[in-house]
Amino acid sequence: MKAIRIHKTGGPEVLTCEDAPEPQPGAGEAVVKVEAAGVNFIDIYFRTGLYKAALPFTPGMEASGTVTAVGPGVTEVQAGDRVAYAMNPGAYAAYALAPVWKLVKLPAGVDAKQGAAIMLQGMTAHYLAYSTFPLKPGHTALVHAGAGGVGLLLTQIARNIGATVITTVGSDAKADLSREAGASDVIVYAKQDFEKDVKQLTGGKGVDVVYDSVGATTFDKSLNCLKPRGYMVLFGQSSGPVPPLDPALLAGKGSLFLTRPSLANYAANRDELAWRAGDLFQWVASGKLKLRIDRTFPLADAAKAHEALESRKTSGKVLLIP
Ligand code: NDP
């Protein structure tokens, strides 16, 4: 089968398309014929070496497709089932191995592309809004990269809860998309000082929570956008990692809370995963949540997909099609 392999960490060029043996399922596992693999920023962190993986490896943490084989004792799924999963390595391939507890059956009416577009970014948006800082009507949230994959979903979910959402985006075209997703105010942070604008928009009070996935270029100012006792949710670093900080800084800025969550800890068991994925599929079916698939690439063009995501050209989901 064809698979993308990384033999050394580096730029997009280290993603090479090779022949690899088809995986064989062990106990508790299933083989999925991948129809669409999600491209996520976490794949870039593994490719560059910011996140560590033993070399060589096949990247990709999210896929959807059809089960072709199951390991001994597996009863939850069978060959022919249409499934999707997230947070399991090896998705950039024609066939991928996944633990059965991470598989979610695709409801009728949800195709493979939608399945791969919803799991990782959708469950992330879900846990951020419902678990890390449970949003309530009346809260105001600042969401950075509001037109990105997670950003568009988080904005819609937060709005559906009844929160007010202010977003930042990199361009005017992205601002339109973010507004369509439900942002009440959109700040083009490439041109405007978002700290100043957020203070103005909130009458000097600040926001209840900042969902910051941009990291290096936004973190310091994000802290200044919070109300006293507000929540700083740093969940990514698309612009680079945030340097170490002195915890006393949080006291000085108003007894702030700081957390650095990961989906792995918020979809850590079957019940939690089924809750989040179940909500997402229901919202998509009812039209409460719109998925935006920005572009698709053939599997062999994984490097082009990474280049597009990394250079801020995309707004929504990027998929690889084996
Ligand atoms: P996005 O589609 O949001 O793409 C990243 C966006 O970040 C870009 O489109 C860009 O938007 C913005 N950005 C700002 N500065 C830079 C920069 N210097 N280089 C590149 N991009 C920049 O990606 P995803 O939806 O896949 O992921 C969003 C973030 O969420 C990532 O940081 C990812 O790591 C994080 N994440 C965290 C998870 C967790 O559980 N902790 C799980 C899933 C995702 P703009 O042009 O508008 O500035």
Side-chain angles (χ1 to χ4, degrees):
M1 68 162 188
K2 291 291 178 200
I4 300 296
R5 301 288 282 164
I6 292 182
H7 292 271
K8 61 173 183 173
T9 54
E13 71 286 350
V14 302
L15 297 162
T16 54
C17 192
E18 298 174 7
D19 289 313
E22 274 183 32
Q24 300 301 318
E29 292 179 329
V31 174
V32 178
K33 183 177 191 296
V34 177
E35 283 158 43
V39 177
N40 293 285
F41 230 90
I42 191 171
D43 307 339
I44 294 172
Y45 304 146
F46 277 111
R47 194 205 72 215
T48 59
L50 179 67
Y51 290 0
K52 306 294 173 212
L55 295 165
F57 68 96
T58 295
M61 303 292 273
E62 175 181 47
S64 79
T66 306
V67 173
T68 55
V70 297
V74 168
T75 54
E76 297 89 338
V77 292
Q78 57 186 21
D81 284 347
R82 299 168 60 248
V83 295
Y85 68 83
M87 294 309 272
N88 195 65
Y92 289 10
Y95 293 85
L97 202 56
V100 170
W101 78 267
K102 289 189 180 173
L103 296 180
V104 176
K105 286 189 191 170
L106 291 181
V110 173
D111 66 23
K113 285 182 186 165
Q114 292 171 310
I118 201 172
M119 292 295 289
L120 201 150
Q121 292 167 339
M123 288 203 293
T124 300
H126 190 286
Y127 86 71
L128 292 171
Y130 279 93
S131 302
T132 307
F133 180 85
L135 285 167
K136 301 274 180 285
H139 280 145
T140 301
L142 172 62
V143 175
H144 288 303
V150 175
L152 286 170
L153 298 170
L154 179 56
T155 302
Q156 294 177 72
I157 291 171
R159 271 298 297 266
N160 289 344
I161 290 171
T164 300
V165 185
I166 302 171
T167 61
T168 60
V169 297
S171 69
D172 292 332
K174 288 185 177 185
D176 292 340
L177 290 171
S178 181
R179 251 179 237 111
E180 274 169 38
S184 61
D185 294 280
V186 184
I187 303 164
V188 182
Y189 52 3
K191 295 192 282 196
Q192 293 153 248
D193 178 350
F194 75 82
E195 179 186 335
K196 199 167 134 237
D197 285 8
V198 167
K199 283 188 179 145
Q200 208 164 40
L201 288 165
T202 57
K205 286 197 192 121
V207 297
D208 297 279
V209 56
V210 180
Y211 295 109
D212 188 341
S213 66
V214 173
T217 58
T218 48
F219 183 81
D220 291 344
K221 285 188 172 193
S222 292
L223 292 177
N224 298 336
C225 291
L226 284 163
K227 281 180 183 166
R229 292 161 59 179
Y231 273 72
M232 176 67 190
V233 181
L234 176 70
F235 69 100
Q237 56 268 312
S238 58
S239 70
V242 173
L245 67 96
D246 177 357
L249 185 75
L250 302 173
K253 291 190 184 288
S255 304
L256 303 179
F257 294 84
L258 168 64
T259 182
R260 174 60 179 86
S262 163
L263 175 58
N265 301 115
Y266 282 91
N269 58 54
R270 182 69 198 170
D271 286 350
E272 214 172 31
L273 191 151
W275 166 43
R276 301 196 196 286
D279 276 358
L280 291 162
F281 284 125
Q282 211 180 352
W283 295 334
V284 169
S286 69
K288 273 174 85 177
L289 187 66
K290 302 254 184 303
L291 298 176
R292 184 170 198 281
I293 296 173
D294 182 275
R295 57 191 90 181
T296 62
F297 293 88
L299 178 67
D301 286 344
K304 285 187 190 155
H306 274 219
E307 272 160 16
L309 181 60
E310 234 174 332
S311 58
R312 305 169 74 164
K313 291 197 183 98
T314 64
S315 303
K317 194 69 204 176
V318 180
L319 295 172
L320 293 177
I321 311 296

mmCIF file of all heavy atoms in Angstrom, residues 55-104:
data_model
loop_
_atom_site.group_PDB
_atom_site.id
_atom_site.type_symbol
_atom_site.label_atom_id
_atom_site.label_comp_id
_atom_site.label_asym_id
_atom_site.label_seq_id
_atom_site.Cartn_x
_atom_site.Cartn_y
_atom_site.Cartn_z
ATOM 1 N N LEU A 55 11.545 7.581 14.802
ATOM 2 C CA LEU A 55 11.694 7.572 13.336
ATOM 3 C C LEU A 55 11.970 6.153 12.835
ATOM 4 O O LEU A 55 12.607 5.385 13.557
ATOM 5 C CB LEU A 55 12.849 8.488 12.935
ATOM 6 C CG LEU A 55 12.642 9.983 13.229
ATOM 7 C CD1 LEU A 55 13.957 10.734 13.128
ATOM 8 C CD2 LEU A 55 11.611 10.588 12.270
ATOM 9 N N PRO A 56 11.588 5.791 11.627
ATOM 10 C CA PRO A 56 10.669 6.545 10.767
ATOM 11 C C PRO A 56 9.225 6.326 11.239
ATOM 12 O O PRO A 56 8.935 5.365 11.939
ATOM 13 C CB PRO A 56 10.889 5.895 9.397
ATOM 14 C CG PRO A 56 11.265 4.473 9.701
ATOM 15 C CD PRO A 56 11.995 4.497 11.009
ATOM 16 N N PHE A 57 8.345 7.221 10.818
ATOM 17 C CA PHE A 57 6.940 7.037 11.180
ATOM 18 C C PHE A 57 6.019 7.567 10.087
ATOM 19 O O PHE A 57 6.445 8.352 9.235
ATOM 20 C CB PHE A 57 6.623 7.712 12.522
ATOM 21 C CG PHE A 57 6.691 9.222 12.506
ATOM 22 C CD1 PHE A 57 5.550 9.986 12.330
ATOM 23 C CD2 PHE A 57 7.902 9.894 12.690
ATOM 24 C CE1 PHE A 57 5.600 11.376 12.329
ATOM 25 C CE2 PHE A 57 7.971 11.280 12.689
ATOM 26 C CZ PHE A 57 6.815 12.019 12.518
ATOM 27 N N THR A 58 4.782 7.084 10.123
ATOM 28 C CA THR A 58 3.732 7.576 9.232
ATOM 29 C C THR A 58 2.906 8.587 10.005
ATOM 30 O O THR A 58 2.328 8.248 11.038
ATOM 31 C CB THR A 58 2.840 6.423 8.744
ATOM 32 O OG1 THR A 58 3.643 5.556 7.937
ATOM 33 C CG2 THR A 58 1.667 6.919 7.908
ATOM 34 N N PRO A 59 2.857 9.856 9.562
ATOM 35 C CA PRO A 59 2.106 10.867 10.306
ATOM 36 C C PRO A 59 0.601 10.748 10.082
ATOM 37 O O PRO A 59 0.137 9.888 9.326
ATOM 38 C CB PRO A 59 2.645 12.177 9.749
ATOM 39 C CG PRO A 59 3.116 11.849 8.380
ATOM 40 C CD PRO A 59 3.502 10.405 8.370
ATOM 41 N N GLY A 60 -0.129 11.662 10.712
ATOM 42 C CA GLY A 60 -1.582 11.715 10.536
ATOM 43 C C GLY A 60 -2.294 11.121 11.728
ATOM 44 O O GLY A 60 -2.059 9.980 12.095
ATOM 45 N N MET A 61 -3.172 11.924 12.348
ATOM 46 C CA MET A 61 -3.838 11.520 13.589
ATOM 47 C C MET A 61 -5.342 11.344 13.413
ATOM 48 O O MET A 61 -6.060 11.187 14.384
ATOM 49 C CB MET A 61 -3.619 12.598 14.662
ATOM 50 C CG MET A 61 -2.169 12.899 14.956
ATOM 51 S SD MET A 61 -1.369 11.510 15.749
ATOM 52 C CE MET A 61 -1.754 11.837 17.452
ATOM 53 N N GLU A 62 -5.831 11.395 12.184
ATOM 54 C CA GLU A 62 -7.284 11.426 12.005
ATOM 55 C C GLU A 62 -7.637 10.855 10.634
ATOM 56 O O GLU A 62 -7.003 11.204 9.635
ATOM 57 C CB GLU A 62 -7.728 12.888 12.054
ATOM 58 C CG GLU A 62 -9.182 13.157 11.776
ATOM 59 C CD GLU A 62 -9.480 14.657 11.825
ATOM 60 O OE1 GLU A 62 -8.725 15.444 11.227
ATOM 61 O OE2 GLU A 62 -10.468 15.039 12.458
ATOM 62 N N ALA A 63 -8.636 9.980 10.598
ATOM 63 C CA ALA A 63 -9.053 9.425 9.306
ATOM 64 C C ALA A 63 -10.488 8.956 9.370
ATOM 65 O O ALA A 63 -11.061 8.799 10.455
ATOM 66 C CB ALA A 63 -8.155 8.251 8.921
ATOM 67 N N SER A 64 -11.043 8.732 8.191
ATOM 68 C CA SER A 64 -12.313 8.019 8.136
ATOM 69 C C SER A 64 -12.288 7.112 6.920
ATOM 70 O O SER A 64 -11.513 7.322 5.974
ATOM 71 C CB SER A 64 -13.499 8.988 8.102
ATOM 72 O OG SER A 64 -13.660 9.494 6.826
ATOM 73 N N GLY A 65 -13.111 6.072 6.984
ATOM 74 C CA GLY A 65 -13.116 5.095 5.904
ATOM 75 C C GLY A 65 -13.912 3.865 6.310
ATOM 76 O O GLY A 65 -14.862 3.973 7.089
ATOM 77 N N THR A 66 -13.489 2.722 5.789
ATOM 78 C CA THR A 66 -14.251 1.486 6.004
ATOM 79 C C THR A 66 -13.379 0.434 6.681
ATOM 80 O O THR A 66 -12.219 0.251 6.276
ATOM 81 C CB THR A 66 -14.737 0.945 4.637
ATOM 82 O OG1 THR A 66 -15.443 2.005 3.981
ATOM 83 C CG2 THR A 66 -15.668 -0.236 4.801
ATOM 84 N N VAL A 67 -13.940 -0.233 7.679
ATOM 85 C CA VAL A 67 -13.206 -1.303 8.358
ATOM 86 C C VAL A 67 -13.044 -2.467 7.377
ATOM 87 O O VAL A 67 -14.013 -2.889 6.724
ATOM 88 C CB VAL A 67 -13.972 -1.772 9.615
ATOM 89 C CG1 VAL A 67 -13.315 -3.007 10.232
ATOM 90 C CG2 VAL A 67 -14.045 -0.638 10.641
ATOM 91 N N THR A 68 -11.791 -2.975 7.274
ATOM 92 C CA THR A 68 -11.568 -4.132 6.387
ATOM 93 C C THR A 68 -11.209 -5.385 7.175
ATOM 94 O O THR A 68 -11.338 -6.494 6.642
ATOM 95 C CB THR A 68 -10.433 -3.849 5.376
ATOM 96 O OG1 THR A 68 -9.262 -3.461 6.107
ATOM 97 C CG2 THR A 68 -10.825 -2.763 4.392
ATOM 98 N N ALA A 69 -10.739 -5.239 8.388
ATOM 99 C CA ALA A 69 -10.366 -6.422 9.191
ATOM 100 C C ALA A 69 -10.356 -6.028 10.658
ATOM 101 O O ALA A 69 -10.093 -4.861 10.990
ATOM 102 C CB ALA A 69 -8.977 -6.910 8.779
ATOM 103 N N VAL A 70 -10.648 -6.973 11.531
ATOM 104 C CA VAL A 70 -10.588 -6.708 12.975
ATOM 105 C C VAL A 70 -9.724 -7.771 13.639
ATOM 106 O O VAL A 70 -9.589 -8.901 13.135
ATOM 107 C CB VAL A 70 -11.992 -6.670 13.635
ATOM 108 C CG1 VAL A 70 -12.835 -5.540 13.078
ATOM 109 C CG2 VAL A 70 -12.699 -8.008 13.493
ATOM 110 N N GLY A 71 -9.170 -7.413 14.794
ATOM 111 C CA GLY A 71 -8.307 -8.331 15.530
ATOM 112 C C GLY A 71 -9.119 -9.331 16.334
ATOM 113 O O GLY A 71 -10.353 -9.233 16.412
ATOM 114 N N PRO A 72 -8.410 -10.285 16.958
ATOM 115 C CA PRO A 72 -9.102 -11.314 17.736
ATOM 116 C C PRO A 72 -9.964 -10.713 18.843
ATOM 117 O O PRO A 72 -9.541 -9.790 19.526
ATOM 118 C CB PRO A 72 -7.947 -12.120 18.362
ATOM 119 C CG PRO A 72 -6.706 -11.700 17.671
ATOM 120 C CD PRO A 72 -6.960 -10.413 16.956
ATOM 121 N N GLY A 73 -11.182 -11.209 18.952
ATOM 122 C CA GLY A 73 -12.061 -10.803 20.061
ATOM 123 C C GLY A 73 -12.809 -9.499 19.840
ATOM 124 O O GLY A 73 -13.616 -9.092 20.667
ATOM 125 N N VAL A 74 -12.585 -8.818 18.717
ATOM 126 C CA VAL A 74 -13.262 -7.524 18.502
ATOM 127 C C VAL A 74 -14.710 -7.758 18.069
ATOM 128 O O VAL A 74 -14.957 -8.491 17.098
ATOM 129 C CB VAL A 74 -12.517 -6.687 17.425
ATOM 130 C CG1 VAL A 74 -13.358 -5.497 16.989
ATOM 131 C CG2 VAL A 74 -11.177 -6.222 17.956
ATOM 132 N N THR A 75 -15.645 -7.155 18.809
ATOM 133 C CA THR A 75 -17.067 -7.321 18.470
ATOM 134 C C THR A 75 -17.744 -5.972 18.183
ATOM 135 O O THR A 75 -18.851 -5.930 17.665
ATOM 136 C CB THR A 75 -17.828 -7.993 19.633
ATOM 137 O OG1 THR A 75 -17.586 -7.225 20.820
ATOM 138 C CG2 THR A 75 -17.370 -9.421 19.864
ATOM 139 N N GLU A 76 -17.073 -4.879 18.577
ATOM 140 C CA GLU A 76 -17.713 -3.550 18.478
ATOM 141 C C GLU A 76 -17.904 -3.109 17.032
ATOM 142 O O GLU A 76 -18.840 -2.374 16.714
ATOM 143 C CB GLU A 76 -16.875 -2.491 19.209
ATOM 144 C CG GLU A 76 -16.742 -2.718 20.705
ATOM 145 C CD GLU A 76 -15.531 -3.600 21.069
ATOM 146 O OE1 GLU A 76 -15.062 -4.363 20.187
ATOM 147 O OE2 GLU A 76 -15.089 -3.527 22.208
ATOM 148 N N VAL A 77 -16.985 -3.488 16.151
ATOM 149 C CA VAL A 77 -17.110 -3.144 14.726
ATOM 150 C C VAL A 77 -16.805 -4.383 13.899
ATOM 151 O O VAL A 77 -16.198 -5.341 14.393
ATOM 152 C CB VAL A 77 -16.127 -2.014 14.300
ATOM 153 C CG1 VAL A 77 -16.485 -0.693 14.939
ATOM 154 C CG2 VAL A 77 -14.677 -2.390 14.606
ATOM 155 N N GLN A 78 -17.222 -4.350 12.637
ATOM 156 C CA GLN A 78 -16.903 -5.473 11.747
ATOM 157 C C GLN A 78 -16.565 -4.950 10.353
ATOM 158 O O GLN A 78 -16.832 -3.765 10.053
ATOM 159 C CB GLN A 78 -18.073 -6.449 11.683
ATOM 160 C CG GLN A 78 -19.363 -5.815 11.223
ATOM 161 C CD GLN A 78 -20.544 -6.782 11.309
ATOM 162 O OE1 GLN A 78 -20.501 -7.761 12.036
ATOM 163 N NE2 GLN A 78 -21.579 -6.505 10.548
ATOM 164 N N ALA A 79 -15.995 -5.809 9.541
ATOM 165 C CA ALA A 79 -15.624 -5.413 8.184
ATOM 166 C C ALA A 79 -16.841 -4.810 7.485
ATOM 167 O O ALA A 79 -17.954 -5.343 7.586
ATOM 168 C CB ALA A 79 -15.095 -6.616 7.413
ATOM 169 N N GLY A 80 -16.632 -3.706 6.805
ATOM 170 C CA GLY A 80 -17.723 -3.049 6.087
ATOM 171 C C GLY A 80 -18.275 -1.834 6.827
ATOM 172 O O GLY A 80 -18.925 -0.977 6.225
ATOM 173 N N ASP A 81 -18.018 -1.730 8.151
ATOM 174 C CA ASP A 81 -18.514 -0.567 8.902
ATOM 175 C C ASP A 81 -17.792 0.700 8.443
ATOM 176 O O ASP A 81 -16.570 0.703 8.258
ATOM 177 C CB ASP A 81 -18.280 -0.743 10.411
ATOM 178 C CG ASP A 81 -19.267 -1.704 11.046
ATOM 179 O OD1 ASP A 81 -20.278 -2.039 10.394
ATOM 180 O OD2 ASP A 81 -19.022 -2.120 12.202
ATOM 181 N N ARG A 82 -18.561 1.777 8.323
ATOM 182 C CA ARG A 82 -17.972 3.087 7.996
ATOM 183 C C ARG A 82 -17.655 3.801 9.303
ATOM 184 O O ARG A 82 -18.548 3.973 10.149
ATOM 185 C CB ARG A 82 -18.949 3.922 7.175
ATOM 186 C CG ARG A 82 -19.309 3.272 5.830
ATOM 187 C CD ARG A 82 -20.483 3.966 5.177
ATOM 188 N NE ARG A 82 -20.197 5.362 4.921
ATOM 189 C CZ ARG A 82 -20.792 6.365 5.539
ATOM 190 N NH1 ARG A 82 -21.729 6.162 6.439
ATOM 191 N NH2 ARG A 82 -20.469 7.608 5.245
ATOM 192 N N VAL A 83 -16.396 4.189 9.482
ATOM 193 C CA VAL A 83 -15.954 4.722 10.779
ATOM 194 C C VAL A 83 -15.055 5.945 10.599
ATOM 195 O O VAL A 83 -14.571 6.223 9.493
ATOM 196 C CB VAL A 83 -15.158 3.650 11.569
ATOM 197 C CG1 VAL A 83 -16.045 2.466 11.939
ATOM 198 C CG2 VAL A 83 -13.939 3.189 10.771
ATOM 199 N N ALA A 84 -14.837 6.636 11.713
ATOM 200 C CA ALA A 84 -13.856 7.735 11.755
ATOM 201 C C ALA A 84 -13.181 7.695 13.118
ATOM 202 O O ALA A 84 -13.720 7.138 14.072
ATOM 203 C CB ALA A 84 -14.549 9.076 11.549
ATOM 204 N N TYR A 85 -12.004 8.283 13.196
ATOM 205 C CA TYR A 85 -11.294 8.348 14.479
ATOM 206 C C TYR A 85 -10.337 9.524 14.501
ATOM 207 O O TYR A 85 -10.018 10.104 13.445
ATOM 208 C CB TYR A 85 -10.527 7.040 14.769
ATOM 209 C CG TYR A 85 -9.360 6.803 13.842
ATOM 210 C CD1 TYR A 85 -8.117 7.403 14.087
ATOM 211 C CD2 TYR A 85 -9.483 6.004 12.716
ATOM 212 C CE1 TYR A 85 -7.032 7.204 13.230
ATOM 213 C CE2 TYR A 85 -8.412 5.798 11.855
ATOM 214 C CZ TYR A 85 -7.192 6.405 12.117
ATOM 215 O OH TYR A 85 -6.128 6.222 11.260
ATOM 216 N N ALA A 86 -9.867 9.863 15.707
ATOM 217 C CA ALA A 86 -8.856 10.912 15.865
ATOM 218 C C ALA A 86 -7.870 10.507 16.939
ATOM 219 O O ALA A 86 -8.140 9.606 17.738
ATOM 220 C CB ALA A 86 -9.513 12.234 16.250
ATOM 221 N N MET A 87 -6.744 11.207 16.966
ATOM 222 C CA MET A 87 -5.695 11.029 17.976
ATOM 223 C C MET A 87 -5.114 9.621 17.985
ATOM 224 O O MET A 87 -4.947 8.994 19.037
ATOM 225 C CB MET A 87 -6.211 11.430 19.366
ATOM 226 C CG MET A 87 -6.528 12.900 19.492
ATOM 227 S SD MET A 87 -5.188 13.990 18.930
ATOM 228 C CE MET A 87 -4.220 14.163 20.433
ATOM 229 N N ASN A 88 -4.835 9.135 16.793
ATOM 230 C CA ASN A 88 -4.142 7.868 16.652
ATOM 231 C C ASN A 88 -3.206 7.985 15.452
ATOM 232 O O ASN A 88 -3.649 8.368 14.368
ATOM 233 C CB ASN A 88 -5.167 6.750 16.430
ATOM 234 C CG ASN A 88 -4.538 5.402 16.650
ATOM 235 O OD1 ASN A 88 -4.129 5.088 17.764
ATOM 236 N ND2 ASN A 88 -4.431 4.612 15.611
ATOM 237 N N PRO A 89 -1.902 7.702 15.632
ATOM 238 C CA PRO A 89 -0.948 7.972 14.556
ATOM 239 C C PRO A 89 -1.056 7.006 13.381
ATOM 240 O O PRO A 89 -1.534 5.885 13.537
ATOM 241 C CB PRO A 89 0.416 7.825 15.249
ATOM 242 C CG PRO A 89 0.164 6.979 16.445
ATOM 243 C CD PRO A 89 -1.264 7.194 16.850
ATOM 244 N N GLY A 90 -0.620 7.473 12.194
ATOM 245 C CA GLY A 90 -0.515 6.595 11.035
ATOM 246 C C GLY A 90 -1.615 6.752 10.003
ATOM 247 O O GLY A 90 -1.822 5.865 9.171
ATOM 248 N N ALA A 91 -2.299 7.901 10.014
ATOM 249 C CA ALA A 91 -3.464 8.066 9.128
ATOM 250 C C ALA A 91 -3.115 8.415 7.684
ATOM 251 O O ALA A 91 -3.953 8.244 6.797
ATOM 252 C CB ALA A 91 -4.401 9.133 9.691
ATOM 253 N N TYR A 92 -1.885 8.923 7.436
ATOM 254 C CA TYR A 92 -1.533 9.292 6.058
ATOM 255 C C TYR A 92 -1.139 8.024 5.299
ATOM 256 O O TYR A 92 0.043 7.809 4.947
ATOM 257 C CB TYR A 92 -0.341 10.236 6.032
ATOM 258 C CG TYR A 92 -0.537 11.662 6.511
ATOM 259 C CD1 TYR A 92 -1.688 12.087 7.147
ATOM 260 C CD2 TYR A 92 0.480 12.614 6.308
ATOM 261 C CE1 TYR A 92 -1.819 13.397 7.584
ATOM 262 C CE2 TYR A 92 0.350 13.920 6.740
ATOM 263 C CZ TYR A 92 -0.803 14.308 7.381
ATOM 264 O OH TYR A 92 -0.925 15.614 7.810
ATOM 265 N N ALA A 93 -2.106 7.162 5.010
ATOM 266 C CA ALA A 93 -1.814 5.874 4.377
ATOM 267 C C ALA A 93 -3.091 5.339 3.755
ATOM 268 O O ALA A 93 -4.196 5.798 4.078
ATOM 269 C CB ALA A 93 -1.299 4.886 5.423
ATOM 270 N N ALA A 94 -2.929 4.350 2.880
ATOM 271 C CA ALA A 94 -4.115 3.740 2.266
ATOM 272 C C ALA A 94 -4.906 2.922 3.282
ATOM 273 O O ALA A 94 -6.132 2.844 3.215
ATOM 274 C CB ALA A 94 -3.693 2.866 1.095
ATOM 275 N N TYR A 95 -4.191 2.306 4.234
ATOM 276 C CA TYR A 95 -4.827 1.540 5.315
ATOM 277 C C TYR A 95 -4.188 1.960 6.629
ATOM 278 O O TYR A 95 -2.963 2.159 6.690
ATOM 279 C CB TYR A 95 -4.623 0.020 5.128
ATOM 280 C CG TYR A 95 -5.357 -0.527 3.925
ATOM 281 C CD1 TYR A 95 -4.764 -0.477 2.661
ATOM 282 C CD2 TYR A 95 -6.623 -1.084 4.055
ATOM 283 C CE1 TYR A 95 -5.435 -0.962 1.543
ATOM 284 C CE2 TYR A 95 -7.298 -1.576 2.942
ATOM 285 C CZ TYR A 95 -6.701 -1.508 1.691
ATOM 286 O OH TYR A 95 -7.369 -1.980 0.601
ATOM 287 N N ALA A 96 -4.998 2.077 7.681
ATOM 288 C CA ALA A 96 -4.466 2.485 8.982
ATOM 289 C C ALA A 96 -4.998 1.564 10.067
ATOM 290 O O ALA A 96 -6.113 1.026 9.959
ATOM 291 C CB ALA A 96 -4.862 3.926 9.283
ATOM 292 N N LEU A 97 -4.186 1.406 11.097
ATOM 293 C CA LEU A 97 -4.560 0.575 12.231
ATOM 294 C C LEU A 97 -5.081 1.494 13.335
ATOM 295 O O LEU A 97 -4.474 2.537 13.582
ATOM 296 C CB LEU A 97 -3.280 -0.124 12.708
ATOM 297 C CG LEU A 97 -3.350 -1.393 13.519
ATOM 298 C CD1 LEU A 97 -4.137 -2.476 12.796
ATOM 299 C CD2 LEU A 97 -1.912 -1.872 13.802
ATOM 300 N N ALA A 98 -6.189 1.106 13.980
ATOM 301 C CA ALA A 98 -6.686 1.951 15.073
ATOM 302 C C ALA A 98 -7.249 1.075 16.187
ATOM 303 O O ALA A 98 -7.840 0.024 15.908
ATOM 304 C CB ALA A 98 -7.779 2.887 14.557
ATOM 305 N N PRO A 99 -7.089 1.507 17.442
ATOM 306 C CA PRO A 99 -7.748 0.786 18.527
ATOM 307 C C PRO A 99 -9.260 0.952 18.386
ATOM 308 O O PRO A 99 -9.736 2.055 18.090
ATOM 309 C CB PRO A 99 -7.250 1.472 19.800
ATOM 310 C CG PRO A 99 -6.438 2.626 19.390
ATOM 311 C CD PRO A 99 -6.369 2.702 17.902
ATOM 312 N N VAL A 100 -9.987 -0.120 18.607
ATOM 313 C CA VAL A 100 -11.428 -0.090 18.366
ATOM 314 C C VAL A 100 -12.143 0.932 19.250
ATOM 315 O O VAL A 100 -13.118 1.553 18.820
ATOM 316 C CB VAL A 100 -11.990 -1.528 18.584
ATOM 317 C CG1 VAL A 100 -13.493 -1.514 18.597
ATOM 318 C CG2 VAL A 100 -11.476 -2.445 17.504
ATOM 319 N N TRP A 101 -11.632 1.164 20.470
ATOM 320 C CA TRP A 101 -12.343 2.089 21.367
ATOM 321 C C TRP A 101 -12.329 3.520 20.845
ATOM 322 O O TRP A 101 -13.163 4.327 21.232
ATOM 323 C CB TRP A 101 -11.798 1.997 22.799
ATOM 324 C CG TRP A 101 -10.489 2.703 23.055
ATOM 325 C CD1 TRP A 101 -9.244 2.171 22.984
ATOM 326 C CD2 TRP A 101 -10.310 4.078 23.455
ATOM 327 N NE1 TRP A 101 -8.289 3.112 23.291
ATOM 328 C CE2 TRP A 101 -8.924 4.290 23.597
ATOM 329 C CE3 TRP A 101 -11.172 5.147 23.699
ATOM 330 C CZ2 TRP A 101 -8.381 5.530 23.958
ATOM 331 C CZ3 TRP A 101 -10.625 6.380 24.067
ATOM 332 C CH2 TRP A 101 -9.253 6.557 24.198
ATOM 333 N N LYS A 102 -11.408 3.809 19.914
ATOM 334 C CA LYS A 102 -11.364 5.177 19.353
ATOM 335 C C LYS A 102 -12.243 5.330 18.102
ATOM 336 O O LYS A 102 -12.369 6.435 17.572
ATOM 337 C CB LYS A 102 -9.923 5.556 19.000
ATOM 338 C CG LYS A 102 -9.050 5.785 20.227
ATOM 339 C CD LYS A 102 -7.711 6.364 19.852
ATOM 340 C CE LYS A 102 -6.854 6.581 21.095
ATOM 341 N NZ LYS A 102 -5.486 6.995 20.776
ATOM 342 N N LEU A 103 -12.817 4.241 17.620
ATOM 343 C CA LEU A 103 -13.603 4.321 16.382
ATOM 344 C C LEU A 103 -15.039 4.758 16.668
ATOM 345 O O LEU A 103 -15.673 4.289 17.609
ATOM 346 C CB LEU A 103 -13.646 2.962 15.686
ATOM 347 C CG LEU A 103 -12.316 2.406 15.185
ATOM 348 C CD1 LEU A 103 -12.540 1.046 14.525
ATOM 349 C CD2 LEU A 103 -11.649 3.370 14.203
ATOM 350 N N VAL A 104 -15.530 5.640 15.808
ATOM 351 C CA VAL A 104 -16.917 6.083 15.888
ATOM 352 C C VAL A 104 -17.568 5.716 14.563
ATOM 353 O O VAL A 104 -17.004 5.985 13.499
ATOM 354 C CB VAL A 104 -16.966 7.620 16.082
ATOM 355 C CG1 VAL A 104 -18.386 8.124 16.063
ATOM 356 C CG2 VAL A 104 -16.272 8.014 17.380
#
